[in-house]
Amino acid sequence: MMGQAPSADEIERLARSVLARLPNPFAAHLADIVLIVEEFADEETLAELEIDDPFGLTGLYHGQPVGEKSSMQSGALPDRIHLYRRPILDEWCDTGVDLTALITHVVVHEVGHHFGLSDADMHALEQNGEHQA
């Protein structure tokens, strides 16, 4: 694979591995989350987030944070984590960070939004995920 950028399937495999290593209570709440790997965020998403450069967004969580969910809700779309392949690969090349560590960082950050975690909590969770890799 030398010289070839990882495919969307390879990035998804790495991201699913990160999700599988997360401890409870996180893992229990993420069983039904949908993981989507796309080349870039769509124009509507970028405009909504006021991001001009499509390389500026590596991941995005869509859904309702765990603390805001209600058992009365029905018909809602499942929670989703979008990973954007080209911005991830660009950051990987620019920083030289290990790809697995970078994907761990992006996935944990998006999971953090799902759980309403602080940056410090996300950092601790990311460290935990890296040590189990």
Side-chain angles (χ1 to χ4, degrees):
M1 182 163 120
M2 189 64 156
Q4 273 194 322
S7 69
D9 287 343
E10 290 167 306
I11 288 175
E12 180 178 347
R13 184 179 48 75
L14 290 169
R16 290 200 182 281
S17 174
V18 171
L19 289 172
R21 289 192 311 268
L22 293 176
N24 273 323
F26 306 105
H29 287 282
L30 294 170
D32 295 327
I33 201 152
V34 176
L35 185 62
I36 301 164
V37 180
E38 301 169 292
E39 290 299 296
F40 289 102
D42 61 36
E43 291 295 324
E44 181 182 336
T45 299
L46 293 170
E48 196 175 288
L49 297 171
E50 299 179 357
I51 296 174
D52 294 328
D53 181 2
F55 283 95
L57 185 63
T58 55
L60 186 64
Y61 167 78
H62 281 282
Q64 201 163 21
V66 169
E68 297 175 18
K69 289 188 186 283
S70 162
S71 61
M72 302 301 289
Q73 293 172 326
S74 68
L77 287 172
D79 291 341
R80 302 170 314 282
I81 292 177
H82 292 257
L83 298 177
Y84 302 113
R85 180 179 169 270
R86 294 281 308 279
I88 288 171
L89 295 179
D90 198 56
E91 186 172 331
W92 177 48
C93 290
D94 285 351
T95 64
V97 170
D98 177 74
L99 184 60
T100 301
L102 177 58
I103 291 173
T104 297
H105 174 78
V106 174
V107 169
V108 166
H109 188 82
E110 300 315 322
V111 166
H113 289 302
H114 181 65
F115 286 93
L117 298 179
S118 69
D119 285 341
D121 290 338
M122 284 188 235
H123 182 72
L125 188 57
E126 186 176 340
Q127 293 299 107
N128 182 49
E130 286 176 0
H131 293 303
Q132 292 183 22

